Amino acid sequence: MSDNLDAVRASYAASAAGDVNGIVSLLGPQARWTEMAGFPYAGTYVGPRQVLSEVFAKLGSEWEGYQAEPEEFVDGGDVVVVIGHYSGTYRATGKSMKVRFTHVWHLEDGVATRFEQFTDTALVREALVP
């Protein structure tokens, strides 16, 4: 296993434990984090602070039991691909979802420089509509 794969695995372990700071500790200061167009928090955010405020703070306040559960890790050295699913209940509607995702991480020496999310945004949005 590579240091990059170990670092990505640790980030998902932190997520499962509810440790938001552990999740973003993988990110370099100028890391670019892209949430897919059509996703509720779509956009590209730069650095751990912006990812915390624009993605994770909103996930924590707007969703109950939100999880990103990895099922498979593909170690490509400087690129690690994670396949899994999101689940959670949107507080405003009480609707839940379970949606597959693919995450693509670009890393240098165990530090993420770029993250990109791919998911079925229509299925996520169904939970947002009353």
Side-chain angles (χ1 to χ4, degrees):
M1 266 193 287
S2 72
D3 289 343
N4 290 336
L5 178 59
D6 289 343
V8 170
R9 283 184 185 274
S11 178
Y12 288 91
S15 176
D19 177 8
V20 177
N21 289 322
I23 298 168
V24 297
S25 67
L26 174 62
L27 302 177
Q30 295 302 311
R32 298 179 60 78
W33 180 286
T34 301
E35 296 280 311
M36 190 168 180
F39 196 72
Y41 317 112
T44 297
Y45 308 101
V46 178
R49 256 192 216 145
Q50 200 172 43
V51 172
L52 276 172
S53 67
E54 299 303 317
V55 179
F56 289 104
K58 293 176 182 179
L59 288 171
S61 67
E62 297 176 8
W63 294 85
E64 180 70 35
Y66 188 90
Q67 291 289 315
E69 298 177 47
E71 297 163 7
E72 182 177 355
F73 293 85
V74 181
D75 185 358
D78 289 343
V79 178
V80 175
V81 177
V82 182
I83 301 165
H85 69 272
Y86 295 128
S87 60
T89 301
Y90 194 64
R91 286 187 169 104
T93 64
K95 289 183 173 181
S96 62
M97 59 96 181
K98 186 170 182 179
V99 182
R100 303 270 299 152
F101 69 72
T102 299
H103 293 162
V104 180
W105 295 88
H106 294 261
L107 302 103
E108 293 175 7
D109 300 321
V111 177
T113 58
R114 195 169 79 202
F115 166 92
E116 189 168 1
Q117 168 211 60
F118 299 90
T119 193
D120 187 337
T121 58
L123 290 177
V124 175
R125 287 196 169 277
E126 284 179 12
L128 278 62
V129 179

